[in-house]
């Protein structure tokens, strides 16, 4: 695979969102976003000094939270 081919590979994680955009997407404060990121619940992408969040990671976080909130009787 040539270098040219690697640049044509589409990114599967969707758009990258800034911290404020990611917090708004999740409906939480930026401070809470940092808390769950620092806790390791949500991955971040660092580009030089800029922090970004992949929309696919935010969606996965939402899905995990949805599954975790089911009553035990529904989880089986």
């Amino acid at each position: 695979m040539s270098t040219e081919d690697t640049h044509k590979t589409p990114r599967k994680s969707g758009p990258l969102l800034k911290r404020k955009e990611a917090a708004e997407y999740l409906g939480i404060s930026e401070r809470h976003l940092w808390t769950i990121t620092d806790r390791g619940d949500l991955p971040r992408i660092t580009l030089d000094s800029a922090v970004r969040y992949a929309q696919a990671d935010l969606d996965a976080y939402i899905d995990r939270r949805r599954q975790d909130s089911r009553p035990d009787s529904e989880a089986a």
Side-chain angles (χ1 to χ4, degrees):
M1 177 181 281
S2 72
T3 307
E4 198 171 298
D5 292 335
T6 60
H7 293 293
K8 293 180 181 179
T9 304
R11 187 176 70 239
K12 296 178 182 176
S13 62
L16 297 179
L17 304 176
K18 295 178 181 178
R19 182 178 26 186
K20 182 177 181 178
E21 295 168 330
E24 288 174 356
Y25 187 81
L26 293 175
I28 60 176
S29 69
E30 289 182 56
R31 183 179 196 138
H32 187 66
L33 178 69
W34 274 118
T35 299
I36 61 177
T37 301
D38 288 343
R39 200 167 51 203
D41 294 341
L42 186 63
R44 66 178 168 234
I45 300 163
T46 306
L47 307 168
D48 293 324
S49 62
V51 175
R52 298 291 183 264
Y53 293 87
Q55 185 174 342
D57 291 337
L58 300 176
D59 290 336
Y61 175 77
I62 292 168
D63 289 341
R64 286 191 309 273
R65 297 296 297 174
R66 181 178 296 128
Q67 292 170 357
D68 291 344
S69 65
R70 291 185 301 176
D72 290 334
S73 61
E74 291 182 30

